[in-house]
């Protein structure tokens, strides 16, 4: 399996360990498989597999430059006791008509853990295999959840440092406390006076800054990424689509081969792209439903073929989806353009200069696998309440975006089972969940966590309980144009 840049030629393809170390391609593009694996998948074989076995199988399709032993050791280390559910990704059965794929049972309570527990394993093995001598600096822009999950994943991993940039005043109180209480000598976390798009754009610029990279190399370091632009983060996410499909079969909710819909609360388009990759290699998916919050640039894109980021940016109560420039859409564009890197370069140049681009009709035809919709703040609150009132099940605001969009979609397609990807625990956003259910809530932060726990009962997830005992570090705030200086001063 070789990987190439969406903006470069196939002749410059590299293998997966090299792509994982690099993160972003030097030309600014994203690494994608040159050819997708064509595994002889008998889905029946998946029905009896544990999550770990499923992940192992999927990783071995895409990352065949790793030995079986390397992959199985990575998977065992990644999906163990740090998850508070033996199934790792349980599928709820409390709700009628829809299923929620619970991706929040990891140490930082969002789906990011599924990839960021395994990425450090893959990265350190790649470093060894490739004989890389420099320290890896994981440069991360976060809309709230990647930050904590990457710090947690790389905590005290030898030969790595993590620098996380998050939008100042742009994350939830629990997300902030999580980031500021991560333990580890190799972790730095910095607020940027700006939004996620600015942080991500600057991180990408820093990756592409040749002079700065040379300076960095001179100090014995090199950059990599824990954002979903890293292919080593994306591929592990393919596994839970297969696992969930097998669970539905095992429970006799569907017959083997039946198609299902997956609804994905979307920001940077990573999670849903993993679903697209699952479909490409044979999983019977009907539609991948792209759910956006009020920042609904993707909803418009799927309706019109025009991507236009020239619009107001909203800070919402689903902050991890407050994104107007969805990085991973570039990988989809590459695919629906028939791997035409020149076309991708053209569209990305237009996005950089004009903030918009229009895809042609051929490419538009490639969007058939998707549907799209959005939910605003009011609809999100109403959906949290509807689900809670009908079933007693509490969903977080991001999941609620997916749930609301799925609910609307099902009116037109009532017969296809629909799985909503539940991307975060309600305990990460207790203020919004309480307000939705009770009409009003005066609690914030840890007080809101306690109040939500009183309402829902049961044990607090470990990742939240730990927050009560740890003292947060002081917040450090920089201007967007000072991110590079910060790195220079703090390595
Ligand atoms: C990151 C995140 C998303 C968006 O996922 P993408 O892969 O960026 O599309 C949705 N919900 C939550 C809770 C997240 O943390």
């Amino acid at each position: 399996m070789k990987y190439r840049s969406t903006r470069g030629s196939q002749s410059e393809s590299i293998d997966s360990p090299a792509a994982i170390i690099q993160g972003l391609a030097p030309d600014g593009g994203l690494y994608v498989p040159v050819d997708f694996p064509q595994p002889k998948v008998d889905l029946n074989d998946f029905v009896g597999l544990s999550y770990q076995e499923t992940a192992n199988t999927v990783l071995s399709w895409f990352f065949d430059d790793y030995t079986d032993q390397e992959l199985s050791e990575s998977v065992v280390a990644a999906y163990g006791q740090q998850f508070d559910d033996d199934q790792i990704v349980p599928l709820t059965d409390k709700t009628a008509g829809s299923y929620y794929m619970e991706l929040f049972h990891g140490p930082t309570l969002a789906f990011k853990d599924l990839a960021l527990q395994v990425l450090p394993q893959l990265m350190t093995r790649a470093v060894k295999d490739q004989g890389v001598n420099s320290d890896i600096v994981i440069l991360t822009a976060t809309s709230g959840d990647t930050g904590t999950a990457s710090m947690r994943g790389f905590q005290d991993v030898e030969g790595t440092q993590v620098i996380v940039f998050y939008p100042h005043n742009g994350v939830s109180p629990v997300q902030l406390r999580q980031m500021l209480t991560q333990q580890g000598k190799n972790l730095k976390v910095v607020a940027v006076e700006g939004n996620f798009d600015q942080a991500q754009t600057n991180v990408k610029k820093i990756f592409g800054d040749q002079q700065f990279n040379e300076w960095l190399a001179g100090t014995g370091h090199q950059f990599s990424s824990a954002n979903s632009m890293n292919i080593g983060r994306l591929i592990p996410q393919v596994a839970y689509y297969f696992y969930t499909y097998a669970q539905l079969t095992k429970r006799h909710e569907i017959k083997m081969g039946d198609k299902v819909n997956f609804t994905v609360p979307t920001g940077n388009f990573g999670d849903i792209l993993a679903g697209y990759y699952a479909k490409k290699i044979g999983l019977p998916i009907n539609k991948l439903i792209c759910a956006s919050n009020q920042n609904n640039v993707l909803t418009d894109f799927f309706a019109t073929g025009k991507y236009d980021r020239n619009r107001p940016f909203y800070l919402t109560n689903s902050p991890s989806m407050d994104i107007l420039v969805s990085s991973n859409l570039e990988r989809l564009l590459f695919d629906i353009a028939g791997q035409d890197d020149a076309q991708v370069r053209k569209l990305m140049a237009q996005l950089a200069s004009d903030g918009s681009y229009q895809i042609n009709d051929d490419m538009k035809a490639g969007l058939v696998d998707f549907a799209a919709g959005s939910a605003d703040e009011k609809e999100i609150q109403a959906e949290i309440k509807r689900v809670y009132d009908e079933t007693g099940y509490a969903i977080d605001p991001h999941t609620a975006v997916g749930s609301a969009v799925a609910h609307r979609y099902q009116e037109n397609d009532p017969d296809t089972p629909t799985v909503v990807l539940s991307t975060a625990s309600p305990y990460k956003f207790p203020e919004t969940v309480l307000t939705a259910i009770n009409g009003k809530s005066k609690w914030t932060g840890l007080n809101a966590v306690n109040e939500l726990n009183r309402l829902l009962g049961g044990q607090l997830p470990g990742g939240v309980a730990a927050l009560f005992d740890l003292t947060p570090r002081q917040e450090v705030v920089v201007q967007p144009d000072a991110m590079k200086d910060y790195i220079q001063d703090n390595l």
Side-chain angles (χ1 to χ4, degrees):
M1 280 285 299
K2 292 286 184 197
Y3 290 82
R4 63 178 286 189
S5 167
T6 49
R7 301 186 196 179
S9 85
Q10 186 179 335
S11 63
E12 288 158 29
S13 59
I14 58 178
D15 59 21
S16 54
I20 286 171
I21 293 175
Q22 280 191 29
L24 191 67
D27 58 20
L30 305 177
Y31 284 112
V32 287
V34 172
D35 294 304
F36 274 79
Q38 298 291 332
K40 291 207 177 51
V41 199
D42 184 351
L43 284 171
N44 287 300
D45 294 345
F46 280 83
V47 174
L49 297 190
S50 66
Y51 190 80
Q52 291 84 348
E53 290 164 333
T54 307
N56 214 331
T57 306
V58 170
L59 292 180
S60 70
W61 293 336
F62 284 92
F63 296 155
D64 59 359
D65 280 297
Y66 288 87
T67 64
D68 289 347
Q69 191 185 348
E70 284 177 321
L71 290 182
S72 62
E73 284 172 5
S74 296
V75 162
V76 166
Y79 306 120
Q81 292 301 319
Q82 66 271 55
F83 282 76
D84 68 13
D85 192 295
D86 288 346
Q87 284 205 59
I88 310 297
V89 179
L91 189 66
T92 185
D93 52 8
K94 295 191 187 80
T95 47
S98 295
Y99 309 90
Y100 294 89
M101 185 203 296
E102 293 187 348
L103 294 163
F104 54 75
H105 289 278
T108 76
L109 311 159
F111 84 86
K112 308 292 199 295
D113 286 326
L114 273 304
L116 284 165
Q117 284 297 306
V118 79
L119 180 65
Q121 302 291 334
L122 299 171
M123 183 94 68
T124 48
R125 284 170 177 81
V127 163
K128 222 187 269 158
D129 291 351
Q130 307 268 304
V132 173
N133 291 321
S134 37
D135 270 17
I136 305 288
V137 180
I138 311 286
L139 207 55
T140 303
T142 183
S143 55
D145 290 326
T146 290
T148 312
S150 58
M151 285 194 277
R152 176 60 198 251
F154 282 96
Q155 167 186 331
D156 290 326
V157 171
E158 216 177 300
T160 69
Q161 295 191 46
V162 181
I163 303 178
V164 170
F165 294 103
Y166 64 93
H168 191 215
N169 298 324
V171 300
S172 86
V174 172
Q175 285 178 315
L176 181 63
R177 199 177 173 93
Q178 281 186 307
M179 283 194 278
L180 296 179
T181 53
Q182 287 303 308
Q183 311 281 298
K185 290 190 288 296
N186 60 337
L187 312 177
K188 299 209 164 57
V189 55
V190 189
V192 176
E193 207 56 86
N195 60 37
F196 170 76
D197 288 321
Q198 287 164 305
Q200 173 159 268
T201 301
N202 283 345
V203 161
K204 281 184 154 186
K205 271 197 198 135
I206 292 169
F207 271 117
D209 183 334
Q210 217 170 356
Q211 220 180 350
F212 194 56
N213 277 276
E214 277 163 25
W215 168 81
L216 191 74
T219 68
H221 298 89
Q222 80 179 75
F223 285 134
S224 187
S225 168
N227 283 99
S228 49
M229 56 175 117
N230 193 322
I231 193 74
R233 186 169 136 191
L234 204 60
I235 298 305
Q237 297 176 206
V238 175
Y240 42 72
Y241 288 91
F242 277 87
Y243 182 70
T244 299
Y245 189 89
Q247 294 304 306
L248 285 169
T249 318
K250 192 171 163 183
R251 290 199 206 159
H252 306 291
E253 307 278 347
I254 57 172
K255 287 198 307 296
M256 187 52 78
D258 285 354
K259 290 195 169 180
V260 300
N261 297 323
F262 287 98
T263 307
V264 191
T266 295
N268 230 346
F269 208 74
D271 212 4
I272 192 167
L273 189 79
Y276 179 71
Y277 283 6
K279 180 166 185 179
K280 271 182 84 81
I281 55 180
L283 196 67
I285 296 175
N286 180 38
K287 293 283 182 190
L288 291 154
I289 303 168
C290 176
S292 301
N293 67 19
Q294 205 180 351
N295 296 295
N296 58 359
V297 58
L298 287 166
T299 318
D300 293 346
F301 171 72
F302 282 105
T304 65
K306 181 173 185 191
Y307 195 92
D308 189 358
R309 61 154 304 183
N310 301 307
R311 60 179 72 210
F313 176 89
Y314 299 105
L315 279 175
T316 74
N317 287 324
S318 45
S320 302
M321 296 160 64
D322 290 345
I323 294 178
L324 290 179
V325 185
S326 295
S327 276
N328 283 292
L329 193 64
E330 181 170 342
R331 286 185 163 115
L332 179 67
L333 296 176
F334 180 80
D335 208 68
I336 60 177
Q339 303 211 326
D340 181 352
D341 50 281
Q343 180 72 1
V344 173
R345 278 197 301 277
K346 190 182 103 194
L347 296 174
M348 291 300 107
Q350 284 172 3
L351 182 64
S353 61
D354 310 339
S356 68
Y357 59 79
Q358 168 81 47
I359 61 171
N360 61 35
D361 286 347
D362 281 351
M363 287 176 74
K364 238 173 114 176
L367 302 179
V368 288
D369 297 321
F370 294 88
S374 68
D376 64 18
E377 296 291 274
K378 256 202 179 133
E379 291 169 297
I380 293 170
Q381 302 256 343
E383 182 67 0
I384 293 171
K385 180 153 178 64
R386 181 188 74 81
V387 174
Y388 182 77
D389 286 350
E390 288 179 10
T391 65
Y393 183 64
I395 55 176
D396 102 287
H398 303 76
T399 307
V401 173
S403 188
V405 170
H407 198 61
R408 224 182 297 139
Y409 184 83
Q410 277 177 309
E411 287 170 15
N412 301 321
D413 182 12
D415 297 330
T416 309
T418 294
V419 178
V420 176
L421 274 69
S422 186
T423 50
S425 158
Y427 284 109
K428 270 195 131 158
F429 308 93
E431 301 85 355
T432 306
V433 177
L434 281 169
T435 303
I437 292 174
N438 290 338
K440 209 170 164 51
S441 163
K442 57 182 180 191
W443 311 102
T444 61
L446 297 182
N447 292 323
V449 167
N450 279 331
E451 191 59 24
L452 184 61
N453 194 219
R454 261 194 288 280
L455 182 72
L456 302 180
Q459 232 184 347
L460 267 186
V464 175
L467 293 178
F468 286 84
D469 304 329
L470 299 166
T471 315
R473 10 176 148 183
Q474 193 73 32
E475 211 174 5
V476 176
V477 187
V478 302
Q479 295 298 322
D481 58 10
M483 289 166 61
K484 209 161 92 175
D485 296 335
Y486 177 88
I487 299 168
Q488 207 149 17
D489 297 343
N490 286 278
L491 273 185

